[in-house]
Amino acid sequence: MMYIGLSCGFHDAGLSIVADTGNILFAAHSERYSKKKHDSNLCKELILEARSYFVNSNFELHYYEKPLLKALRQFRAGQKIGPLSVKQIVGADLYDMFGDRPIKTHVHHKTHAAAGFQTSPFTDATVVVIDAIGEMDCITIWDAWYDDKGYARYKKLWSKKYPNSIGMFYSAMTQCVGLKPMDEEYILMGMAAYGKPSYANRMASYYLQSIEDVEFRHNLHIGLEGNNFLSKADDMDIAASAQLVCETLIEKVMMRAKRIGHSKNLVYGGGVALNCLANRLLGKHFHNIWIMPNPGDAGNSLGAAALGYGKKINWHDAFLGTQIKGPYPVKEVINELTNNKMVGVASGRAEFGPRALGNRSLLADPRGPEIKDKVNEIKRRQKFRPFAPVILEEYVNEYFTMPRGWHDSRYMQVIATCRHPNLYPAIVHHDGTSRVQTVPKDGSGIRQLLEAWYKKTGCPMLLNTSLNIRGEPMVNDRSDADRFEKLYKLKVIS
Ligand SMILES: [Fe+2]
């Protein structure tokens, strides 16, 4: 038996396949195939590739939310009502390739919880889900454990319903500074380092009924209203203020989770878990933390498949998508880095999740002042945003001070303070922090590369940013890599 999880119809469509051994056979995003960022539809090429991972025809389909419940919320909120039929949402291509069969639907926040808990190293956990919105729930806290037959069990302990949403608040503030909501929240987070949180108190008192209970006065889903006090505010100050309000609310939820949850292990999911700046605070409340590397809605395809399978999933790493065959090109990459300081890599299976972790990466020598501009000639991103470092895990404490409770950051999920910012300015933000990726002794390609780089230079880290053509999602296959090479005249090695 195989379990196919689907998330689509709103944004960031994804498809995951879990076998009855608990192994993840495949997990990928539509956007990487269709080249449309945040593509909400399950595109044909993705489905076709997923089909190639099938070893038999005995399978179930699982969808990441309940369309009827969602439609009820849309009706109550006076919004346009989406399709009620899950078959209509997933589209005809799926049936053409898999045949017509029923699709089991799951509650949105429960799929977030399952994507986190069933991939985590824990046997029990307090699960916190914070996103913009599922069907009705915007924040949930769960107890999760395995029963004596090994099946995952979930008990919802607390929830906040629409429109009391931390995610919607952050998206509304993203829009307020002229960025694209549901897309560019990470830029708002980066801007926070340059501002002062001078509007945080006014934001909180104007928009929130209760900080303790995360209750909003306004429905920020329909946009900001009455925010005249922000009309002349500096965008950086708005970003810093929004970040502080967001962090205050997240901490209130975490404190509640600690109070009412029965486990010391935290599993955290939902799109808000991508806020790596806020994530530094989690260790104040929990000893052990797990955030699945794809905690937003695209990762929910894995959550839906996990609920279908029911038991613990064998989690190894996030390299679960399209395969570019061949050994990791360590020697060639080192040569390019030595000669040109910068190189593209497209090797092995593509990352599941928003971050390039070494298999679809643009890598550079992080030492010295000139490298940031060199990488930015290609990336052309806002000058104020730094790039991220990828480092051999055993050296992380020599180069960075990790936040309390965090011993590693294998999927770039938290910021750490750089101990030598003057030596590595390209990977350090204005506030002295870096969004660090630590690589354990796991035999992966990026591990082998970092070991060789360290041996040659004495530097255990590289600059790592996603390999993508501007305006497009990350490179997926070799033909994307060829287009990249041609356009930017930068070697991409497979
Ligand atoms: Fe969600």
Side-chain angles (χ1 to χ4, degrees), residues 123 196 391:
T123 52
K196 291 191 186 74
I391 186 167

Side-chain angles (χ1 to χ4, degrees), residues 171-179 224 227 230 235 238:
S171 288
M173 290 300 161
T174 301
Q175 189 170 32
C176 180
V177 300
L179 295 169
L224 289 172
N227 65 332
L230 294 177
D235 284 348
I238 293 176

